[in-house]
Amino acid sequence: MIPILRSSRSLAKVLVFPFVALITVLSLLIGGLSYFVGSRAVVSVAEQMLDQTASRVALTVQHHIDGATSVLESAFPRDLPAPPDLNSSLDAIRARFWSATSLHPDLSNYVFYGNRNGDFVGLFRYAPKDAELRVKYSSLGYRSAYRMSSINGLLGMSKNDETDFDPRKRPWYQTSQDAERDTWSDIYINFWDKDLVATRSRRVLNAEGEFEGVVGTDVSLNALNDFVRSLHVSPRGIAFIMEANGNLIASSDGQNTQAGQAGQIGRLRADASENSIIRNAYGSLQKYLSEEAVLGKAHNTFTFKDNDGELIYGAYSWVRDNAGLSWVTVVAVPRGDFLSMLDKNVLWTIAISLLAVSMALVLGLTIVHWVVRDVRRLSRAAKLIGKGQMNVALNIERQDEIGQLADSFMEMHKELSTDKLTGVTSRAALLRYLDAAVHNRNNRKQREQHSSFTLMFIDLNRFKAINDTLGHEYGDQTLIEVGQRFLSIVREDDIVSRFGGDEFVLVFWGVTDPAFADNMKKKIADALAPPLQCLQGVEGAQDMTVGASIGVSFYPQNGNDVETLIKLADHGMYKDKEAGRKGPTGAGLPPL
């Protein structure tokens, strides 16, 4: 282990590896034991969970359909006799129907009534202020629909439907006309919307206590199918609802109807589903439902095998009410999905067992990360500075040895990048920055900014006289003041560098315009024109000034390497000096 640790290139690996090895061994031991013990309990846990899930689905379905009872009572109270003439009572009926469809608009938004003469009236709510009144008189050969926006609102223009429609032939009418209580029709395809619906209906008597008609409300099963589809039982698990005869009502794979050969929408049976788990669950469930019907004993949970031989755990629950509803909710999950849940339990067991070790590990990793993070920052900063990038931020605020190292590093960087006398950029740093710019080694933002630049090489005029007459001390102060004057006329990101002696180099990023260079020459001349403040009060130095000879080069027009650009600007400076110019003019500018 020691050679491995010594050969590791990462400090984090060296410090963390022993802890990782120890935790891995302990996790394997405890995890294996937990898995062995937990696998014996998986069947019990699976059955309990599936049973509870199936029961919860059944309760949700029950809540879904219970609202139909209050909707019917609001539409046609039990003690209210049916009108002998539908036309004369139409306003009162539509007002009650409007109120009834306001109770559970998402589930029961359609209420209707048909009498023994073949008359029909129904109200369908599209939205809180949008409904359609549908009327069919037996004496007419068509059914009319009128849009309305409030309970007593004006009816819109009629829309006639000449499709043969007789309420007495509809399933909900035939189911309830002889029943003494509320009844549920078999699920069928809705006449208007071609959706699966179940209708709760009851017979309505006239004033003489005789049968007059049937009132009903459709419960749309779309919302029920959406609910089942939203269930996430397990990665491969399935949930579905079916009638006792095997017709699917809803399923989590979304399939509950099928298209016939003529394109007509029809009911889909569970044993004809494309989902193999639904087919096999239905086939296995028949035995349990038969035993329950004969022996009165409910198993609730059962097992079966899928087509590939994998064991599937299932559970079912009934949805029943006093109106004859009899649906079955089924949940089925492959055994492999339960094993994944067991794996999570094993991980939790390992986590609890290793709590103390984990806390030590977290603390150790935190310290290692804290140390290594700032060491890496130092390493990255050193690489960036080595590549010539400017303004490298370190942002390490620590009081320990690493903080001291970071402070020393930045001070060293500042010393190496700054001319010790004038405080402007040093020659070495200037060359690094220019080399990084021409070789495209900066970050993206700097690459865009440094893709072109203007370089000015400046030699101070009359500086030698100051140095020789007043001494090096005043010469140094002159250089310091000149450097500060240059800094006052450049932009924040531009460079002012002392190249050596009384020579300065100015770099202006992102511009290569000769007119700009001429303007900067004038600014330099103006900046140097006032008497030197550092010489005020010095005998023989009153109102003494310095001038500048300037040479200019442009990147990339005048060269693609730093040496060429500096030589070209230096040559321009000598030409300017030989011409005896005291300030910037057009001379010394290289051709573009």
Side-chain angles (χ1 to χ4, degrees):
M1 182 179 297
I2 298 300
I4 295 177
L5 294 179
R6 289 178 177 175
S7 64
S8 175
R9 296 182 179 180
S10 170
L11 181 61
K13 292 180 181 178
V14 173
L15 296 177
V16 172
F17 183 80
F19 294 98
V20 172
L22 175 62
I23 291 175
T24 300
V25 172
L26 292 176
S27 298
L28 289 174
L29 291 175
I30 298 178
L33 180 62
S34 298
Y35 190 85
F36 175 76
V37 175
S39 61
R40 294 190 174 186
V42 68
V43 173
S44 176
V45 173
E47 290 180 344
Q48 292 179 18
M49 188 192 71
L50 288 174
D51 188 25
Q52 293 175 3
T53 302
S55 298
R56 285 198 297 268
V57 173
L59 287 175
T60 302
V61 175
Q62 193 74 49
H63 173 74
H64 186 92
I65 62 177
D66 280 347
T69 303
S70 55
V71 171
L72 282 185
E73 184 63 21
S74 177
F76 239 115
R78 291 184 181 275
D79 296 333
L80 181 68
D85 180 14
L86 185 64
N87 188 39
S88 62
S89 304
L90 188 59
D91 289 340
I93 292 176
R94 72 160 174 154
R96 293 201 306 274
F97 282 12
W98 178 280
S99 299
T101 54
S102 300
L103 297 177
H104 303 282
D106 294 334
L107 305 177
S108 299
N109 63 340
Y110 187 29
V111 178
F112 41 85
Y113 168 74
N115 64 19
R116 59 184 180 180
N117 296 325
D119 300 326
F120 173 86
V121 59
L123 189 139
F124 186 93
R125 289 289 284 274
Y126 293 99
K129 293 186 178 181
D130 185 13
E132 185 174 76
L133 183 69
R134 301 167 180 175
V135 181
K136 169 70 164 61
Y137 294 108
S138 59
S139 59
L140 300 177
Y142 57 87
R143 180 164 50 166
S144 301
Y146 308 86
R147 297 304 276 263
M148 53 189 292
S149 60
S150 63
I151 189 169
N152 292 316
L154 296 176
L155 299 179
M157 294 293 293
S158 65
K159 180 179 66 175
N160 297 330
D161 179 12
E162 297 185 1
T163 304
D164 184 23
F165 177 81
D166 187 342
R168 296 168 296 187
K169 297 179 181 180
R170 300 303 293 167
W172 50 269
Y173 190 98
Q174 296 176 354
T175 302
S176 294
Q177 62 181 344
D178 296 323
E180 297 296 332
R181 62 178 185 179
D182 288 10
T183 60
W184 284 97
S185 68
D186 289 336
I187 296 174
Y188 60 96
I189 306 297
N190 181 272
F191 182 85
W192 291 82
D193 305 314
K194 310 305 180 186
D195 293 329
L196 281 184
V197 296
T199 301
R200 184 177 179 119
S201 57
R202 62 177 171 82
R203 63 202 311 253
V204 179
L205 306 180
N206 57 24
E208 288 75 28
E210 299 174 342
F211 171 75
E212 185 65 29
V214 174
V215 62
T217 180
D218 280 352
V219 175
S220 173
L221 300 184
N222 281 340
L224 190 60
N225 197 46
D226 291 341
F227 160 71
V228 177
R229 289 181 65 180
S230 68
L231 293 175
H232 180 70
V233 181
S234 74
R236 294 177 295 158
I238 196 79
F240 63 95
I241 306 170
M242 68 177 187
E243 295 180 274
N245 61 10
N247 285 332
L248 278 177
I249 298 172
S251 68
S252 56
D253 69 354
Q255 188 183 23
N256 61 354
T257 59
Q258 63 180 352
Q261 294 181 350
Q264 296 179 342
I265 302 299
R267 299 297 307 280
L268 176 65
R269 289 185 54 81
D271 54 5
S273 172
E274 295 179 359
N275 190 295
S276 62
I277 295 182
I278 294 180
R279 294 197 309 270
N280 292 318
Y282 174 73
S284 299
L285 191 58
Q286 297 311 299
K287 179 183 68 172
Y288 297 98
L289 295 181
S290 300
E291 291 180 358
E292 182 178 346
V294 175
L295 304 176
K297 180 181 179 181
H299 294 272
N300 294 333
T301 59
F302 61 101
T303 59
F304 61 94
K305 289 188 177 181
D306 202 6
N307 292 348
D308 57 2
E310 183 177 10
L311 188 64
I312 310 293
Y313 293 97
Y316 71 94
S317 183
W318 287 97
V319 179
R320 291 168 171 156
D321 67 0
N322 58 3
L325 189 73
S326 182
W327 295 350
V328 184
T329 62
V330 184
V331 179
V333 176
R335 185 176 186 274
D337 290 1
F338 282 112
L339 291 179
S340 66
M341 297 179 186
L342 182 61
D343 292 340
K344 294 181 180 179
N345 291 333
V346 171
L347 293 177
W348 277 108
T349 303
I350 295 173
I352 295 173
S353 302
L354 299 176
L355 180 60
V357 177
S358 298
M359 292 177 62
L361 176 62
V362 170
L363 181 60
L365 288 176
T366 301
I367 295 174
V368 168
H369 175 71
W370 183 56
V371 173
V372 173
R373 176 193 62 190
D374 291 335
V375 171
R376 287 175 178 170
R377 286 181 179 177
L378 278 169
S379 177
R380 285 195 296 267
K383 289 180 180 179
L384 293 176
I385 292 172
K387 291 180 179 179
Q389 288 199 22
M390 302 172 59
N391 304 322
V392 176
L394 196 53
N395 298 325
I396 296 179
E397 298 180 1
R398 299 169 59 144
Q399 303 300 321
D400 58 6
E401 289 80 357
I402 293 180
Q404 295 173 7
L405 176 62
D407 293 340
S408 300
F409 176 83
M410 293 308 294
E411 289 176 4
M412 180 184 67
H413 169 56
K414 183 177 180 181
E415 289 180 3
L416 294 176
S417 302
T418 305
D419 181 65
K420 291 181 175 59
L421 175 63
T422 61
V424 300
T425 302
S426 67
R427 174 174 178 165
L430 169 70
L431 295 177
R432 287 201 310 272
Y433 298 152
L434 293 178
D435 187 65
V438 301
H439 289 93
N440 201 30
R441 289 201 299 264
N442 292 317
N443 58 40
R444 185 173 65 179
K445 180 179 179 181
Q446 289 182 335
R447 282 199 299 269
E448 295 173 356
Q449 182 184 12
H450 299 172
S451 60
S452 61
F453 58 82
T454 296
L455 185 147
M456 288 188 173
F457 198 101
I458 302 173
D459 183 80
L460 298 182
N461 298 330
R462 299 187 297 279
F463 174 76
K464 188 175 185 301
I466 295 174
N467 216 29
D468 293 344
T469 303
L470 303 178
H472 291 291
E473 177 183 355
Y474 291 105
D476 290 346
Q477 292 182 21
T478 298
L479 292 175
I480 294 172
E481 183 172 341
V482 169
Q484 294 304 310
R485 292 190 185 189
F486 286 160
L487 288 173
S488 68
I489 63 174
V490 301
R491 299 169 301 182
E492 182 178 0
D493 292 332
D494 294 333
I495 296 178
V496 175
S497 172
R498 183 186 176 204
F499 201 72
D502 61 344
E503 296 174 336
F504 289 82
V505 172
L506 274 57
V507 179
F508 302 92
W509 300 115
V511 59
T512 57
D513 185 6
F516 171 82
D518 288 339
N519 184 50
M520 288 308 305
K521 281 188 173 187
K522 184 177 183 306
K523 284 188 176 183
I524 292 171
D526 293 342
L528 297 178
L532 293 164
Q533 294 296 318
C534 64
L535 302 182
Q536 296 303 309
V538 178
E539 184 178 354
Q542 299 296 330
D543 300 326
M544 187 171 286
T545 63
V546 293
S549 297
I550 305 173
V552 183
S553 62
F554 301 106
Y555 172 77
Q557 294 92 324
N558 299 137
N560 291 318
D561 63 272
V562 178
E563 183 179 359
T564 299
L565 294 169
I566 291 179
K567 283 184 178 180
L568 184 59
D570 185 43
H571 180 69
M573 181 272 292
Y574 275 110
K575 288 178 62 178
D576 194 18
K577 185 176 287 290
E578 290 171 1
R581 295 178 179 173
K582 298 295 194 292
T585 65
L589 291 178
L592 292 175

